[in-house]
Amino acid sequence: MTEPIFFPSRDFGLKTLENFVSKAGCDYAAGRNYVDEADTPGAVSKLSPYIRYRLLTEQEIIGAVLERHNLISAEKFIQEMLWRTYWKGWLEMRPAIWTRFLQERDHQRERFSDPKAVSNAENGKTGIQGFDQWSQELSSTGYLHNHVRMWFASIWIFTLRLPWTLGADFFLRNLLDADPASNTLSWRWVAGLQTPGKTYLATQKNIYRYTHGRFAPEGLTSQAIELQEPPLESIRNIPPSTNHDSIRNALLLITHEDMHPESLFLDHSIFKAAAIIIDPDLLFGEKANQFARSAAIYAVARLESRIDGPVSLYDRLDTETLLVAARSKRVKVIITPYAPVGPVAKRLALITLELSEKGIELIQTRREWDSLFWPHATKGFFTFSRRIPSVLEKIGLR
């Protein structure tokens, strides 16, 4: 099996986008569900790691696509791009779902009655054709086609009868593009928790068709189990994004949540230094950590030509690291791209309080893309998708 190449630089991501753009219309719509062999191009973009860490932004990707296609012909690709935005907005308004997932995952790790079955599934030893190969592919490459992710989750939950939280955790620990919102909510969707009563069942016929006949697993269940959970929390308001326009002396903080600050902060003269922090404790697996760490090295080189001050790379996101970096440049303000629900957001909330006690303000700045789209993620994706054309127009992409 030839591993897909995801070189961890923005330039490589831009080249990948350039090679894909011409196929983002009818070719993508017709072929996106087909799972080609790893050494063939296929119809999908292979952009997900670059989007996950915002080495490329959603806005520039869709902007490039709309320069070659109209909104109707590129609708399927644009919708798939916006699923990621939708998931993030949905979770941002319901952060307790992430906490609930972590608690249930830890509970199942300790108490699930058949750990051998989980180990067999993770190591591709179930005897289920396709599933075992995909498990090994994920562990080897850090990537799976989106359609395969759906089949895999369905077989894990309904055929193997394994806890969905342990499957979601397996993905998080191995995917290059591991993301709290997209991964957790996609697994919930397959399980019938995201849209109660609507599960996703993988079938032999569907897998055979969309793998070009390579796989036709036998013994898949035709009956979904009904999972239960406590009622959802009330929707919370999305926290505001603080305006930083009046600030003239600040430290720029970059985490793996958003690694293209050049497109967010147009006036770099306000920064006296930059700290790029890739903390392995805040990433889910070694593959994601290596990708983000390597991408950060390239980010250092990019920012050094833009910021009139040192650009330093650290591996601990904590109060002491930021305190030393801020005091070395005699700044009282640290500005960072907004971190959505997940480990970085939790860590920043704590650091913000501790820095405040030391007389230093930590400001999170949200992208216009998120501020305009996220508030529409109150219900299902269909309701959200009806807002896509008007929001794109407001951003200037129609």
Side-chain angles (χ1 to χ4, degrees):
M1 179 183 297
T2 302
E3 297 186 10
I5 298 174
F6 297 101
F7 193 77
S9 76
R10 173 172 162 80
D11 285 345
F12 193 89
L14 287 170
K15 186 64 176 178
T16 304
L17 173 61
E18 180 185 344
N19 292 337
F20 169 73
V21 163
S22 64
K23 302 184 293 183
C26 297
D27 289 346
Y28 177 83
R32 67 190 179 93
N33 284 329
Y34 285 92
V35 182
D36 297 277
E37 295 186 73
D39 57 355
T40 57
V44 297
S45 69
K46 300 281 182 74
L47 289 169
S48 61
Y50 305 100
I51 301 167
R52 164 63 184 99
Y53 303 106
R54 272 187 165 157
L55 291 169
L56 304 184
T57 68
E58 298 91 334
Q59 184 167 337
E60 71 178 318
I61 291 171
I62 292 181
V65 167
L66 289 177
E67 287 181 359
R68 295 283 298 271
H69 309 272
N70 60 43
L71 193 57
I72 295 175
S73 65
E75 180 182 29
K76 284 298 182 184
F77 176 74
I78 291 172
Q79 284 185 347
E80 288 302 307
M81 282 286 299
L82 266 297
W83 266 103
R84 285 180 169 269
T85 300
Y86 168 74
W87 287 139
K88 284 186 179 292
W90 195 96
L91 192 61
E92 197 68 23
M93 290 185 275
R94 302 165 182 84
I97 293 296
W98 172 247
T99 303
R100 182 188 297 179
F101 158 70
L102 294 176
Q103 292 171 344
E104 179 64 15
R105 177 204 63 184
D106 293 345
H107 173 81
Q108 294 291 356
R109 277 177 174 174
E110 294 177 2
R111 301 192 181 185
F112 184 61
S113 60
D114 194 355
K116 180 64 174 177
V118 176
S119 176
N120 286 340
E122 290 186 349
N123 291 288
K125 297 179 179 180
T126 68
I128 299 176
Q129 187 188 52
F131 182 94
D132 287 348
Q133 287 86 345
W134 300 326
S135 181
Q136 294 164 13
E137 180 181 352
L138 173 60
S139 297
S140 172
T141 70
Y143 174 80
L144 283 179
H145 187 290
N146 186 61
H147 207 169
V148 170
R149 299 185 196 198
M150 294 166 58
W151 293 330
F152 190 99
S154 177
I155 294 170
W156 179 288
I157 296 167
F158 300 124
T159 296
L160 298 175
R161 300 297 179 98
L162 300 176
W164 76 268
T165 52
L166 297 186
D169 178 61
F170 176 56
F171 270 25
L172 283 176
R173 287 185 285 110
N174 285 278
L175 285 169
L176 283 173
D177 62 5
D179 175 72
S182 293
N183 188 70
T184 305
L185 302 184
S186 294
W187 274 82
R188 283 173 52 85
W189 181 82
V190 170
L193 294 172
Q194 193 65 22
T195 305
K198 294 185 178 180
T199 56
Y200 175 80
L201 274 178
T203 67
Q204 182 188 60
K205 180 179 179 180
N206 187 261
I207 293 172
Y208 181 83
R209 175 185 177 185
Y210 287 108
T211 61
H212 304 287
R214 293 198 311 280
F215 300 118
E218 298 180 352
L220 302 186
T221 186
S222 60
Q223 183 67 44
I225 55 177
E226 185 175 348
L227 304 181
Q228 302 290 335
E229 69 172 357
L232 297 178
E233 63 174 353
S234 299
I235 295 176
R236 75 162 183 175
N237 292 327
I238 294 175
S241 174
T242 305
N243 190 300
H244 66 273
D245 291 344
S246 61
I247 297 170
R248 304 315 310 162
N249 295 288
L251 173 73
L252 172 63
L253 167 62
I254 300 302
T255 72
H256 68 258
E257 291 292 352
D258 193 321
M259 300 183 71
H260 192 237
E262 303 97 309
S263 60
L264 177 58
F265 305 109
L266 301 182
D267 181 6
H268 293 88
S269 68
I270 68 174
F271 299 117
K272 301 309 172 189
I276 302 178
I277 303 182
I278 306 299
D279 190 328
D281 291 343
L282 305 181
L283 286 145
F284 300 102
E286 186 56 31
K287 295 182 187 67
N289 179 49
Q290 289 178 358
F291 185 92
R293 180 77 180 181
S294 298
I297 294 172
Y298 287 98
V300 169
R302 294 200 321 268
L303 288 175
E304 282 179 335
S305 64
R306 295 172 179 267
I307 292 178
D308 186 18
V311 179
S312 304
L313 180 59
Y314 304 94
D315 61 8
R316 291 293 300 168
L317 180 58
D318 56 23
T319 302
E320 185 61 28
T321 299
L322 291 176
L323 198 59
V324 170
R327 286 176 173 172
S328 69
K329 299 305 295 183
R330 298 181 181 180
V331 299
K332 296 290 187 181
V333 178
I334 300 172
I335 301 176
T336 188
Y338 186 89
V341 170
V344 173
K346 182 178 180 180
R347 182 69 60 83
L348 287 179
L350 174 63
I351 291 173
T352 298
L353 294 175
E354 293 177 343
L355 285 176
S356 179
E357 295 173 354
K358 304 292 185 180
I360 295 177
E361 184 180 13
L362 176 59
I363 294 175
Q364 295 193 51
T365 298
R366 187 183 304 116
R367 289 182 181 272
E368 180 187 34
W369 181 273
D370 298 333
S371 292
L372 290 177
F373 272 115
W374 284 0
H376 299 302
T378 54
K379 297 180 181 179
F381 183 77
F382 176 74
T383 301
F384 175 87
S385 67
R386 289 185 296 182
R387 300 280 191 168
I388 292 174
S390 61
V391 177
L392 290 180
E393 185 171 13
K394 187 175 292 187
I395 291 174
L397 291 182
R398 284 196 67 192

